[in-house]
Amino acid sequence: MKKQKDQDLGPTKAEKISVFADSIKYEILHAFGVPLYFVWDYSQWEYINFTRMAHARLLYDFLETSEEKRDRRGKRDVVSEDYDFPRKENLLPEQDRSLINTRLFHLSFGRLEYNDDNRAWPSRILENLYEPVVEFMCHIRDSQRWVFRNDDDVSQWDELIGIITSGYELVHARWSLSDGTQNFMFAKGRKLPNGKPSLTPWARIESSPEREINLVLEQLRTIVVER
């Protein structure tokens, strides 16, 4: 009963800080950012862009769902209004919403409606998120600084805003050292076609990339042996 009463009161300040640190930045980073990748490898294209669509779908819900609707559902969903950021309406055309709601997470005969001409994922699913997400990020930076746990969090947030709004692809990497220390890197990648996040390209190449693949595999084997 006490747990239900606590939920009825809405999320606490401590919960908002924890979710912001652990999840909101994570979702933005993985919707707009990419790891290092080979432009000729379709397998990487599929993995990277499928997961980006999943993160994008979550961010659409975060931005479009009101506190009132969340509470009426009896859910514990996090919404932008938890951070005094007004919800947005109809960010995504219904056609694209159907794509990420149905084609992404459901195996249905509806897929037969698509062919080579209309099967490709449209970059506009990411592009339409750009302005509301940047607006949210600037809102946090300018008026909700209580969500940051320390100065490093503020610096990382500012760096993310800088790269996302630079017109270049956000490239990120994260790794752990043998002593347990975790490190991360943000960097600028390719120049984006219209300055907004887009799907990674998939390019045809003139010859087999077998040599390049073997070099990477050899590097990985070396890392494993050294550890």
Side-chain angles (χ1 to χ4, degrees), residues 135-184:
E135 184 182 348
F136 170 78
M137 295 181 77
C138 292
H139 166 77
I140 293 294
R141 179 196 62 194
D142 297 338
S143 66
Q144 306 291 308
R145 297 177 76 87
W146 54 268
V147 302
F148 297 115
R149 297 169 300 182
N150 50 53
D151 290 342
D152 285 344
D153 283 354
V154 176
S155 297
Q156 289 176 23
W157 193 252
D158 286 341
E159 186 178 3
L160 271 180
I161 293 174
I163 297 179
I164 289 173
T165 58
S166 69
Y168 288 85
E169 193 170 59
L170 167 63
V171 177
H172 61 89
R174 184 174 180 176
W175 62 96
S176 297
L177 302 178
S178 57
D179 63 1
T181 303
Q182 292 204 0
N183 293 279
F184 69 92

Coordinates of all heavy atoms in Angstrom, one line a residue, residues 135-184:
E135 N 16.5 21.2 -27.9 CA 15.8 22.2 -27.1 C 15.7 21.7 -25.7 O 15.9 22.4 -24.7 CB 14.4 22.4 -27.7 CG 13.6 23.4 -26.9 CD 12.1 23.6 -27.5 OE1 11.9 23.0 -28.6 OE2 11.3 24.2 -26.8
F136 N 15.4 20.4 -25.5 CA 15.4 19.8 -24.2 C 16.8 19.9 -23.5 O 16.9 20.2 -22.3 CB 14.9 18.3 -24.2 CG 15.1 17.6 -22.9 CD1 14.2 17.7 -21.9 CD2 16.2 16.7 -22.7 CE1 14.3 17.1 -20.7 CE2 16.3 16.0 -21.5 CZ 15.4 16.2 -20.5
M137 N 17.8 19.5 -24.2 CA 19.2 19.5 -23.7 C 19.6 21.0 -23.2 O 20.1 21.1 -22.2 CB 20.2 19.0 -24.7 CG 20.0 17.5 -25.1 SD 21.2 16.9 -26.3 CE 22.6 16.7 -25.2
C138 N 19.2 21.9 -24.0 CA 19.5 23.3 -23.7 C 18.7 23.8 -22.5 O 19.2 24.5 -21.6 CB 19.3 24.3 -24.8 SG 20.5 24.0 -26.2
H139 N 17.5 23.3 -22.4 CA 16.6 23.6 -21.2 C 17.2 23.1 -20.0 O 17.3 23.8 -18.9 CB 15.2 23.0 -21.5 CG 14.3 22.9 -20.3 ND1 13.7 24.0 -19.8 CD2 14.0 21.8 -19.4 CE1 13.0 23.6 -18.7 NE2 13.2 22.3 -18.5
I140 N 17.7 21.8 -20.0 CA 18.4 21.2 -18.8 C 19.6 22.1 -18.5 O 19.8 22.4 -17.3 CB 18.8 19.8 -19.1 CG1 17.5 18.9 -19.3 CG2 19.7 19.2 -18.0 CD1 16.7 18.7 -18.0
R141 N 20.4 22.4 -19.4 CA 21.7 23.2 -19.2 C 21.4 24.5 -18.6 O 22.1 25.0 -17.7 CB 22.4 23.3 -20.5 CG 23.7 24.1 -20.4 CD 24.2 24.6 -21.8 NE 23.2 25.5 -22.4 CZ 23.2 25.8 -23.7 NH1 24.1 25.3 -24.5 NH2 22.3 26.6 -24.2
D142 N 20.3 25.2 -19.1 CA 20.1 26.6 -18.7 C 19.2 26.7 -17.4 O 19.4 27.7 -16.7 CB 19.4 27.3 -19.8 CG 20.3 27.4 -21.1 OD1 21.5 27.2 -21.0 OD2 19.7 27.5 -22.2
S143 N 18.3 25.8 -17.1 CA 17.4 26.0 -16.0 C 17.2 24.8 -15.1 O 16.4 24.9 -14.1 CB 16.0 26.4 -16.6 OG 15.4 25.4 -17.3
Q144 N 17.8 23.6 -15.4 CA 17.6 22.5 -14.6 C 18.9 21.8 -14.1 O 19.1 20.6 -14.1 CB 16.7 21.4 -15.3 CG 15.4 21.9 -15.9 CD 14.4 22.2 -14.8 OE1 14.2 21.4 -14.0 NE2 13.9 23.4 -14.9
R145 N 19.8 22.7 -13.7 CA 21.2 22.2 -13.4 C 21.2 21.3 -12.2 O 22.2 20.6 -11.9 CB 22.2 23.3 -13.3 CG 22.3 24.1 -14.7 CD 23.2 25.3 -14.5 NE 24.6 24.9 -14.5 CZ 25.4 24.7 -15.5 NH1 24.9 24.9 -16.8 NH2 26.7 24.4 -15.4
W146 N 20.1 21.3 -11.4 CA 20.0 20.5 -10.2 C 20.1 19.0 -10.6 O 20.4 18.1 -9.7 CB 18.7 20.7 -9.5 CG 17.5 20.6 -10.3 CD1 16.9 21.6 -11.0 CD2 16.7 19.4 -10.5 NE1 15.7 21.1 -11.6 CE2 15.6 19.7 -11.3 CE3 16.9 18.1 -10.0 CZ2 14.7 18.8 -11.7 CZ3 15.9 17.2 -10.5 CH2 14.9 17.5 -11.3
V147 N 19.9 18.6 -11.8 CA 20.0 17.2 -12.2 C 21.4 16.7 -12.3 O 21.6 15.4 -12.3 CB 19.2 16.9 -13.5 CG1 17.8 17.4 -13.5 CG2 19.9 17.6 -14.7
F148 N 22.4 17.5 -12.4 CA 23.7 17.1 -12.6 C 24.3 16.8 -11.2 O 24.2 17.5 -10.2 CB 24.6 18.2 -13.2 CG 24.1 18.6 -14.6 CD1 23.6 19.8 -14.9 CD2 24.2 17.6 -15.6 CE1 23.2 20.1 -16.2 CE2 23.8 17.9 -16.9 CZ 23.3 19.2 -17.2
R149 N 25.0 15.6 -11.2 CA 25.6 15.2 -9.9 C 26.9 15.9 -9.6 O 27.3 16.0 -8.4 CB 25.9 13.7 -10.0 CG 24.6 12.9 -10.1 CD 24.9 11.4 -10.4 NE 25.7 11.3 -11.7 CZ 26.0 10.1 -12.2 NH1 25.7 9.0 -11.6 NH2 26.7 10.1 -13.3
N150 N 27.7 16.3 -10.6 CA 28.9 17.0 -10.4 C 29.3 17.8 -11.6 O 28.6 17.8 -12.6 CB 30.0 15.9 -10.1 CG 30.1 14.8 -11.1 OD1 30.1 15.0 -12.3 ND2 30.0 13.6 -10.6
D151 N 30.5 18.4 -11.5 CA 30.9 19.3 -12.7 C 31.3 18.5 -13.9 O 31.1 19.0 -15.0 CB 32.2 20.1 -12.2 CG 31.8 21.2 -11.2 OD1 30.6 21.5 -11.1 OD2 32.7 21.7 -10.5
D152 N 31.7 17.2 -13.7 CA 32.0 16.4 -14.9 C 30.8 16.1 -15.7 O 30.8 16.1 -16.9 CB 32.7 15.1 -14.4 CG 34.1 15.2 -14.0 OD1 34.7 16.3 -14.3 OD2 34.6 14.3 -13.3
D153 N 29.6 15.9 -15.0 CA 28.4 15.7 -15.7 C 28.0 16.9 -16.5 O 27.5 16.8 -17.6 CB 27.3 15.4 -14.7 CG 27.3 14.0 -14.1 OD1 28.2 13.2 -14.6 OD2 26.5 13.6 -13.2
V154 N 28.2 18.1 -16.0 CA 27.9 19.3 -16.7 C 28.8 19.4 -17.9 O 28.3 19.7 -19.0 CB 28.1 20.5 -15.8 CG1 27.9 21.8 -16.6 CG2 27.2 20.5 -14.6
S155 N 30.1 19.1 -17.8 CA 31.0 19.2 -18.9 C 30.6 18.2 -20.0 O 30.7 18.6 -21.2 CB 32.4 19.0 -18.4 OG 32.8 19.9 -17.5
Q156 N 30.3 17.0 -19.6 CA 29.9 16.0 -20.6 C 28.6 16.4 -21.4 O 28.5 16.2 -22.6 CB 29.6 14.6 -19.9 CG 30.9 14.0 -19.4 CD 30.6 12.7 -18.7 OE1 29.5 12.1 -18.9 NE2 31.4 12.3 -17.8
W157 N 27.7 17.0 -20.7 CA 26.4 17.4 -21.3 C 26.7 18.5 -22.3 O 26.2 18.5 -23.4 CB 25.5 17.9 -20.2 CG 24.1 18.1 -20.6 CD1 23.4 19.3 -20.7 CD2 23.1 17.1 -20.9 NE1 22.1 19.1 -21.1 CE2 21.9 17.8 -21.2 CE3 23.1 15.7 -21.0 CZ2 20.7 17.1 -21.6 CZ3 22.0 15.0 -21.3 CH2 20.8 15.7 -21.6
D158 N 27.5 19.5 -21.9 CA 27.9 20.6 -22.8 C 28.6 20.1 -24.0 O 28.4 20.6 -25.1 CB 28.8 21.6 -22.0 CG 28.0 22.5 -21.1 OD1 26.7 22.5 -21.2 OD2 28.6 23.1 -20.2
E159 N 29.5 19.1 -23.8 CA 30.2 18.5 -24.9 C 29.3 17.8 -25.9 O 29.4 17.9 -27.1 CB 31.3 17.5 -24.4 CG 32.2 17.0 -25.5 CD 33.3 16.1 -25.0 OE1 33.3 15.8 -23.8 OE2 34.1 15.7 -25.8
L160 N 28.3 17.1 -25.4 CA 27.3 16.4 -26.2 C 26.5 17.4 -27.0 O 26.3 17.3 -28.2 CB 26.3 15.6 -25.3 CG 26.7 14.2 -25.0 CD1 25.6 13.5 -24.1 CD2 26.9 13.4 -26.3
I161 N 26.1 18.5 -26.4 CA 25.3 19.5 -27.1 C 26.2 20.1 -28.2 O 25.7 20.3 -29.4 CB 24.9 20.7 -26.2 CG1 23.8 20.2 -25.2 CG2 24.3 21.8 -27.0 CD1 23.4 21.2 -24.1
G162 N 27.5 20.4 -27.9 CA 28.4 21.0 -28.9 C 28.5 20.1 -30.2 O 28.5 20.6 -31.3
I163 N 28.7 18.8 -30.0 CA 28.9 17.9 -31.1 C 27.6 17.6 -31.9 O 27.6 17.7 -33.1 CB 29.5 16.5 -30.7 CG1 30.9 16.8 -30.1 CG2 29.6 15.6 -31.8 CD1 31.6 15.5 -29.6
I164 N 26.5 17.4 -31.1 CA 25.2 17.2 -31.8 C 24.8 18.3 -32.7 O 24.2 18.1 -33.7 CB 24.1 16.8 -30.7 CG1 24.4 15.5 -30.1 CG2 22.7 16.9 -31.3 CD1 23.5 15.1 -28.9
T165 N 25.1 19.6 -32.2 CA 24.7 20.7 -33.0 C 25.8 21.2 -34.0 O 25.6 22.3 -34.6 CB 24.3 21.9 -32.1 OG1 25.5 22.2 -31.2 CG2 23.2 21.5 -31.2
S166 N 26.9 20.4 -34.1 CA 28.0 20.9 -35.0 C 27.8 20.6 -36.5 O 28.5 21.1 -37.3 CB 29.3 20.2 -34.5 OG 29.2 18.8 -34.8
G167 N 26.8 19.8 -36.8 CA 26.6 19.4 -38.2 C 27.4 18.2 -38.6 O 27.4 17.7 -39.7
Y168 N 28.1 17.6 -37.5 CA 28.9 16.4 -37.8 C 28.3 15.2 -37.0 O 27.7 15.4 -35.9 CB 30.4 16.6 -37.4 CG 31.1 17.5 -38.3 CD1 31.1 18.9 -38.2 CD2 31.9 16.9 -39.4 CE1 31.7 19.7 -39.1 CE2 32.5 17.7 -40.3 CZ 32.5 19.1 -40.1 OH 33.1 19.9 -41.0
E169 N 28.6 14.0 -37.4 CA 28.2 12.8 -36.7 C 28.8 12.7 -35.4 O 30.0 13.0 -35.2 CB 28.5 11.6 -37.6 CG 27.9 10.3 -37.2 CD 28.2 9.2 -38.2 OE1 29.4 8.9 -38.5 OE2 27.2 8.7 -38.8
L170 N 28.0 12.3 -34.4 CA 28.5 12.1 -33.0 C 29.1 10.6 -32.9 O 28.3 9.7 -33.1 CB 27.4 12.3 -32.0 CG 27.7 11.8 -30.6 CD1 28.9 12.5 -29.9 CD2 26.4 11.9 -29.7
V171 N 30.4 10.5 -32.7 CA 31.0 9.2 -32.6 C 31.4 9.0 -31.1 O 31.9 9.9 -30.5 CB 32.3 9.1 -33.5 CG1 33.0 7.7 -33.2 CG2 31.9 9.3 -34.9
H172 N 31.1 7.9 -30.6 CA 31.4 7.7 -29.2 C 32.0 6.3 -28.9 O 31.7 5.3 -29.7 CB 30.2 7.9 -28.3 CG 29.0 7.0 -28.6 ND1 28.9 5.7 -28.0 CD2 28.0 7.1 -29.4 CE1 27.8 5.1 -28.4 NE2 27.2 5.9 -29.3
A173 N 32.8 6.1 -27.9 CA 33.3 4.9 -27.5 C 33.4 4.8 -26.0 O 33.6 5.9 -25.3 CB 34.7 4.6 -28.1
R174 N 33.3 3.7 -25.4 CA 33.4 3.5 -23.9 C 34.2 2.2 -23.6 O 33.9 1.2 -24.3 CB 32.0 3.5 -23.3 CG 32.0 3.4 -21.8 CD 30.6 3.6 -21.2 NE 30.6 3.5 -19.8 CZ 29.5 3.7 -19.1 NH1 28.4 3.9 -19.7 NH2 29.5 3.6 -17.7
W175 N 35.1 2.2 -22.7 CA 35.8 1.1 -22.4 C 36.2 1.0 -20.9 O 36.2 2.1 -20.2 CB 37.1 1.0 -23.2 CG 38.0 2.1 -23.0 CD1 39.1 2.2 -22.2 CD2 38.0 3.4 -23.7 NE1 39.8 3.4 -22.3 CE2 39.1 4.2 -23.2 CE3 37.1 4.0 -24.6 CZ2 39.3 5.5 -23.6 CZ3 37.3 5.3 -25.0 CH2 38.4 6.0 -24.5
S176 N 36.6 -0.2 -20.4 CA 37.0 -0.3 -19.0 C 38.4 -0.8 -19.0 O 38.8 -1.7 -19.8 CB 36.1 -1.4 -18.3 OG 34.8 -0.9 -18.2
L177 N 39.2 -0.3 -18.1 CA 40.6 -0.7 -17.9 C 40.6 -1.9 -16.9 O 39.7 -2.2 -16.2 CB 41.5 0.4 -17.4 CG 41.5 1.7 -18.3 CD1 42.4 2.8 -17.7 CD2 42.0 1.3 -19.7
S178 N 41.8 -2.6 -16.8 CA 41.9 -3.7 -16.0 C 41.7 -3.4 -14.5 O 41.3 -4.3 -13.7 CB 43.3 -4.4 -16.2 OG 44.3 -3.5 -15.9
D179 N 41.9 -2.1 -14.1 CA 41.7 -1.8 -12.7 C 40.3 -1.3 -12.4 O 40.0 -0.9 -11.3 CB 42.7 -0.6 -12.3 CG 42.4 0.7 -13.1 OD1 41.5 0.7 -14.0 OD2 43.1 1.7 -13.0
G180 N 39.4 -1.5 -13.4 CA 38.0 -1.2 -13.2 C 37.6 0.2 -13.6 O 36.4 0.6 -13.6
T181 N 38.6 1.1 -13.9 CA 38.3 2.4 -14.4 C 37.6 2.4 -15.7 O 38.0 1.7 -16.6 CB 39.6 3.2 -14.5 OG1 40.3 3.2 -13.3 CG2 39.3 4.7 -14.9
Q182 N 36.6 3.2 -15.8 CA 35.8 3.3 -17.1 C 36.1 4.6 -17.7 O 36.3 5.7 -17.1 CB 34.3 3.2 -16.8 CG 33.9 1.8 -16.3 CD 32.4 1.6 -16.6 OE1 31.7 2.4 -17.2 NE2 32.0 0.4 -16.3
N183 N 36.3 4.6 -19.0 CA 36.6 5.8 -19.8 C 35.6 5.9 -21.0 O 35.1 4.9 -21.4 CB 38.0 5.7 -20.4 CG 39.1 5.8 -19.3 OD1 39.4 6.9 -18.8 ND2 39.6 4.7 -18.8
F184 N 35.5 7.1 -21.5 CA 34.6 7.3 -22.7 C 35.3 8.3 -23.6 O 36.1 9.1 -23.2 CB 33.2 7.7 -22.2 CG 33.2 9.1 -21.6 CD1 32.9 10.2 -22.4 CD2 33.4 9.3 -20.3 CE1 32.9 11.5 -21.9 CE2 33.4 10.6 -19.7 CZ 33.2 11.7 -20.6

